[in-house]
Amino acid sequence: MSLFKGKDLAGWTTKQLHNHDWSVVDGVIDCNPQGEVKGDRELWTTKEYADFELWVDWRIKESPFVNNKARIILPDGSYQKDDSGNVITVAAPNTDSGVFLRGQHKSQVNIWCWPVGSGEVWGYRTDPAFDAKVHAGVTPKVKADKPIGEWNTFHITLKGDRLTVTLNDNLVIDDAQLPGIPRQGPLALQLHPERKDGEWGASLVQFRNIRIRQLGAGE
């Protein structure tokens, strides 16, 4: 089932009455962050979903700013450190977005420009309440992002608390556990506002070809 038909934002909503961050431009959902307005500025589906397969085309339009605090994430989900034990930071394009699963920021499949690549689930990878297996599971196995400006495709499968993500036909997250994830909830496209420096970048992104297939209990 298509969640976006290329004409308008029917089936989607924001939690701010006069939100101008999201629009349809040339048949795609366009995110153009409007200032530093506080609060939830994500674009949410009006329906909730439990188990599903989701396909999302996305691209980073541009990344005019540089993040000098990006980190190198190791396969176990930890950060690479130097010989003195300090976290190594590197420069990376400063654009950031993602797809929220079942109504919460914590279970976000990341879109960003860090060396590890997109598909990472920050909220689970960095939560000390979870064990090493969870942290490693939500860390991308390979960087599969295309260059800035080109279209990418997520294929996201969520069954129970198990998440699998392919990016451009490359398996990046393989049956990772998301302990405590709600049984169902809406999807959302993430917005970071107009931040010109610091750790998180503005969501200068676009989306298209968003499709979902709900999975029954017997599948």
Side-chain angles (χ1 to χ4, degrees):
M1 180 180 70
S2 175
L3 297 182
F4 173 62
K5 300 184 183 301
K7 296 180 179 180
D8 55 36
L9 294 177
W12 298 82
T13 187
T14 61
K15 295 184 179 180
Q16 295 183 347
L17 183 60
H18 301 291
N19 182 286
H20 301 289
D21 299 309
W22 301 92
S23 63
V24 177
V25 177
D26 296 329
V28 304
I29 296 176
D30 182 76
C31 184
N32 184 22
Q34 301 294 305
E36 291 285 350
V37 177
K38 302 299 182 182
D40 184 334
R41 293 164 60 184
E42 274 67 54
L43 185 66
W44 293 90
T45 59
T46 56
K47 294 183 178 180
E48 295 190 353
Y49 302 94
D51 294 346
F52 58 80
E53 286 186 272
L54 176 70
W55 292 264
V56 181
D57 287 357
W58 59 268
R59 72 167 179 166
I60 295 173
K61 296 183 290 182
E62 59 178 335
S63 190
F65 309 110
V66 174
N67 177 3
N68 290 308
K69 298 180 181 179
R71 301 161 212 166
I72 299 170
I73 300 172
L74 300 176
D76 65 357
S78 66
Y79 297 123
Q80 185 176 16
K81 298 179 180 179
D82 61 22
D83 293 340
S84 299
N86 300 309
V87 173
I88 296 172
T89 57
V90 296
N94 200 25
T95 299
D96 190 290
S97 184
V99 181
F100 291 6
L101 309 179
R102 294 199 189 145
Q104 63 174 11
H105 177 280
K106 187 178 189 69
S107 49
Q108 174 200 183
V109 177
N110 238 338
I111 294 170
W112 61 355
C113 302
W114 280 30
V116 73
S118 297
E120 180 258 13
V121 188
W122 176 279
Y124 281 86
R125 182 183 63 80
T126 61
D127 190 334
F130 301 131
D131 62 22
K133 185 176 181 180
V134 170
H135 294 165
V138 296
T139 301
K141 298 180 177 300
V142 62
K143 182 176 182 177
D145 303 60
K146 294 182 179 180
I148 291 172
E150 295 187 17
W151 285 98
N152 300 266
T153 300
F154 273 149
H155 177 199
I156 299 169
T157 302
L158 185 60
K159 293 187 70 173
D161 66 355
R162 295 288 177 164
L163 173 69
T164 297
V165 180
T166 64
L167 173 56
N168 301 323
D169 295 321
N170 294 277
L171 183 65
V172 293
I173 303 294
D174 183 14
D175 197 36
Q177 185 178 20
L178 306 181
I181 188 172
R183 187 65 192 88
Q184 69 176 31
L187 306 169
L189 307 178
Q190 186 189 34
L191 181 141
H192 279 298
E194 292 181 343
R195 302 179 185 177
K196 299 181 180 180
D197 52 26
E199 190 171 345
W200 308 116
S203 297
L204 298 169
V205 290
Q206 292 180 330
F207 299 89
R208 68 181 186 187
N209 296 334
I210 306 174
R211 297 175 293 117
I212 196 166
R213 182 170 77 93
Q214 299 187 72
L215 303 176
E219 296 188 56

